[in-house]
Amino acid sequence: MDYDVIIVGGGPAGLAFARSLAGTGLEAILVERQPYAALADPSYDGREIALTHGSRAILERLGAWQGIPKDRVSPLRAARVRNGRSAFALDFEPGPAGEALGWLVPNHLIRRALFEQVAEQSELRLACGSSVVSARTERRFAEVQLSTGETVRGRLLVAADSRFSPLREALGIEAEVNRLGRAMLVCRAAHPKPHDQVATEWFGHDQTIALLPLNGGMSSVVLTLPEREIERLAKLCDTALGVELTRRSAGLLGPLEVASSRHVYPLATTWAKHFGARRTTLIGDAAVGMHPVTAHGFNLGLSGQGLLAAEIGKALRQGRDPGEDSVIRAYERGHRAVARPLWLGTNLLVTLYTDERPVARITRHAGLRLGARLPLFRSGVRSILMAR
């Protein structure tokens, strides 16, 4: 074998998994189409990641949390869900002793911190600026041909190359792909009213808008609309866009002033029919690409790679092949058990809160009020948000 593990994709899940292999003695290669410089210093992409307690613990173990500037970490003290024009809101309060629900951290800073950890990692080769041209698996090995002309073999092939994973498709692993016809526009905005570190998710009629509290009188605004409408808004000047965002958020935080570049992301969800196959596993968005409304996707990717690394570690301690079928199936069972309820629940929530029929409006408003009266419901959701 050329390597024990071949990792395809240098996003957060791929980088975290590569780092999780440190100290195992396994020889690994990470294949990423972006050049080295883009991985080492990724550009701001507008996305603020809501990290749970569990995800923070993973990043701490990997040494990445310590590399994120503390002034760029914004605590999420509480969350509020609003529906339509109703003044009623369902609140999720802090945990015991005022413990934060989570932390908001710029995506590009997480990626930078993870890359810093793997950049000099022994027993790991970074094949930047290259992509997979073809892939195949046999009983004893997986083989990929790179765009550079090189062919490499390994005992385990790990796909971490996005929700539209070309590697997943090349290997014939089917996936449910849902292009939603909607897009989200994200940017930072300054405002005069305090947010008190409370996130607001507002399901308005024909739109969804989230106001995520950042440090320094700033919020990340995430607006979801049909793709064509988002394209129109993205072309506005900063002043006009600020006026539009203020109107769409009903002035909750006062006049919004655009304070960053704006970024547009078409929305699509994916669910792979299998998270593993012969000599192959899928992690991150290649396995399950979540709708961003519940902020579970990034955290699920981190926990999934951790589970795979744990199963590989167990196999090594028992003298077994890290790419054998029992390792892959154990990972798949464990990750699907966690991911499936989140996938189904998120899709149900999105369906309910984007349905503008009168009966749906009544149902979701009644659901919010019922949830407010059930302490066990609120504490259950809070425990998911604060998952360890």
Side-chain angles (χ1 to χ4, degrees), residues 195-249:
H195 48 50
D196 298 323
Q197 304 302 140
V198 177
T200 298
E201 185 87 29
W202 189 354
F203 296 95
H205 300 325
D206 299 320
Q207 72 167 31
T208 301
I209 189 166
L211 302 172
L212 308 179
L214 305 178
N215 296 333
M218 195 87 64
S219 289
S220 173
V221 182
V222 184
L223 176 64
T224 303
L225 288 166
E227 288 184 349
R228 188 168 297 178
E229 182 65 6
I230 286 293
E231 290 174 4
R232 182 186 70 83
L233 295 181
K235 296 176 182 177
L236 297 177
C237 68
D238 284 352
T239 300
L241 180 58
V243 171
E244 186 73 10
L245 295 177
T246 300
R247 181 182 70 81
R248 290 182 175 275
S249 62

Side-chain angles (χ1 to χ4, degrees), residues 4-5 26 138-142 154-158 277-281 308 311-312 315-316 320-329:
D4 296 300
V5 183
L26 296 177
E138 299 290 348
R139 185 177 62 85
R140 296 184 60 250
F141 65 87
R155 291 195 281 173
L156 178 65
L157 175 59
V158 179
R278 183 175 59 186
R279 294 286 169 181
T280 305
T281 58
L308 177 58
E311 292 296 339
I312 289 174
L316 292 176
R320 295 187 288 122
D321 182 346
E324 69 181 29
D325 188 65
S326 63
V327 174
I328 294 168
R329 296 308 167 200

